[in-house]
Amino acid sequence: MRLLVFGGTSFVGRAIVEDAVGRGHLVTTVNRGLTGADVAGVEALRGDRSTELGVLAGRTFDAVVDPSGQVPLQVLRTAWAKYAPFYAFVSTTAVYRALDAAGTDESAATWPGVADEDGDPADLTTLGPRKRGCELAVEQTYGSQGLIARAGMIVGPHDNVGQLPWWLGRIAVGGPFIAPGDPGRGLQLIDARDLAAFVLDQVEARRGGVHNVVPDGPNTTMGRLLDDCVRATGSDAEAMWMDEGFLLAQGVQPWAELPLWIPGGGAFWSVSGASAKAAGLRLRPFAETVRDTWEWLRSGGEVRAVAGAHPFGISKEKEQKVLAAWESA
């Protein structure tokens, strides 16, 4: 197939392009050339979808794959251009108004969204409504020939979010470290490469629709994740499991300072993935994701956070104070 991919140099986009090239597809990428190196074997074009895409004038493809769209108006213009008869858009479960009930499926209430809304893609506080606007732009233009892949928390090599890489980096240092809450609390995480494979499978079959592209239930726990990090890094790090109430009393910020920790966040990690599973989603063992992410970091990989994102992780000084307070208590 002749595929047009917007972005294609970072994280999910890179995983899609690498997989597509490996499958023998002819891939054309369009990006500004600012985020990362182009994947070998693609036709790499430079263009900025916030202004104009004259570089694509007169071009046609078998499918458009859009893992980078965040501004509805830009996605709408791309959809209107009809570069291909099929459009696959990578969205997010953040489009749902609430993730406080277990089993949230594709019928749950979403933010309203506006298909022709313009805005700043770096404003991550409006990510949910804007991604819903992007979805509407695709749905209104392509109908049944549009795929909406709502991803949950994504991890893996070429990570541009930085949560799993932070844990790997901290644990590689060794010594006692803060482990938050219940080690048995389930997590629902998807490898970018598994997300990419699912999207390409649907593109090849020209199957549209809306799917939560997440594991259908937790695929690891906080305890197993940290154990996997210890094994992958070969570290002597020791997890000090601390009560959530104690951590909050110490002023430790969930998610920001201890990535992937949401106090009482069980429902957040139990979005329904039944639809994607039925459509063929395949998941690798999570320990493989941890190992491959560490190998990527060791080989010189670094997290290049998306614009507007704040860095993750607790400072060394604050961590030592919390560890001392826990030992004293």
Side-chain angles (χ1 to χ4, degrees):
M1 298 180 72
R2 292 168 299 125
L3 302 180
L4 172 62
V5 180
F6 285 94
T9 62
S10 176
F11 207 15
V12 175
R14 188 174 196 88
I16 288 171
V17 170
E18 289 179 342
D19 193 344
V21 171
R23 295 182 187 210
H25 297 307
L26 302 177
V27 180
T28 297
T29 59
V30 178
N31 56 62
R32 295 173 298 167
L34 302 177
T35 304
D38 296 304
V39 174
V42 307
E43 177 192 27
L45 304 178
R46 297 289 176 251
D48 188 339
R49 64 197 301 180
S50 69
T51 54
E52 55 81 29
L53 289 173
V55 69
L56 291 174
R59 301 287 298 272
T60 59
F61 303 85
D62 296 312
V64 172
V65 184
D66 187 352
S68 65
Q70 289 193 40
V71 178
L73 182 59
Q74 294 177 15
V75 174
L76 184 63
R77 288 173 182 156
T78 306
W80 275 347
K82 286 285 184 176
Y83 296 116
F86 189 92
Y87 200 112
F89 180 72
V90 178
S91 188
T92 169
T93 54
V95 300
Y96 295 116
R97 279 184 174 273
L99 291 173
D100 54 1
T104 298
D105 65 15
E106 292 80 0
S107 68
T110 63
W111 296 105
V114 179
D116 61 354
E117 178 188 355
D118 205 353
D120 180 4
D123 182 10
L124 299 181
T125 62
T126 61
L127 178 65
R130 282 192 289 105
K131 277 287 196 177
R132 179 56 185 149
C134 294
E135 291 182 359
L136 290 172
V138 175
E139 292 172 352
Q140 292 171 8
T141 309
Y142 275 84
S144 64
Q145 291 302 291
L147 170 70
I148 306 298
R150 292 174 178 164
M153 190 65 230
I154 309 169
V155 290
H158 301 283
D159 191 324
N160 65 1
V161 180
Q163 297 190 310
L164 177 56
W166 183 83
W167 279 113
L168 282 162
R170 169 58 192 91
I171 287 172
V173 172
F177 65 94
I178 299 170
D182 178 9
R185 171 167 291 167
L187 300 177
Q188 196 176 35
L189 307 168
I190 187 164
D191 191 300
R193 296 167 295 180
D194 296 336
L195 170 59
F198 176 83
V199 169
L200 289 173
D201 287 347
Q202 308 313 304
V203 168
E204 289 172 348
R206 288 185 169 84
R207 287 195 297 259
V210 181
H211 301 282
N212 294 333
V213 189
V214 299
D216 191 24
N219 60 328
T220 189
T221 65
M222 197 68 194
R224 288 205 305 272
L225 181 148
L226 298 184
D227 287 345
D228 287 339
C229 288
V230 171
R231 280 191 289 271
T233 59
S235 167
D236 66 354
E238 180 184 3
M240 308 299 290
W241 290 98
M242 299 185 187
D243 177 76
E244 292 183 338
F246 171 82
L247 290 173
L248 293 172
Q250 293 294 315
V252 179
Q253 299 177 35
W255 197 263
E257 290 189 311
L258 293 180
L260 304 175
W261 170 44
I262 303 174
F268 180 89
W269 297 114
S270 57
V271 174
S272 173
S275 174
K277 182 178 180 180
L281 175 63
R282 303 179 301 279
L283 300 171
R284 70 195 64 216
F286 191 73
E288 179 181 324
T289 297
V290 175
R291 184 175 62 250
D292 290 351
T293 303
W294 176 239
E295 288 304 316
W296 166 67
L297 291 169
R298 286 186 65 199
S299 65
E302 60 178 312
V303 176
R304 298 184 179 183
V306 296
H310 296 289
F312 289 102
I314 190 169
S315 70
K316 180 178 180 180
E317 294 75 20
K318 186 171 182 178
E319 180 190 38
Q320 291 304 312
K321 288 180 181 179
V322 175
L323 286 167
W326 178 254
E327 184 176 348
S328 176

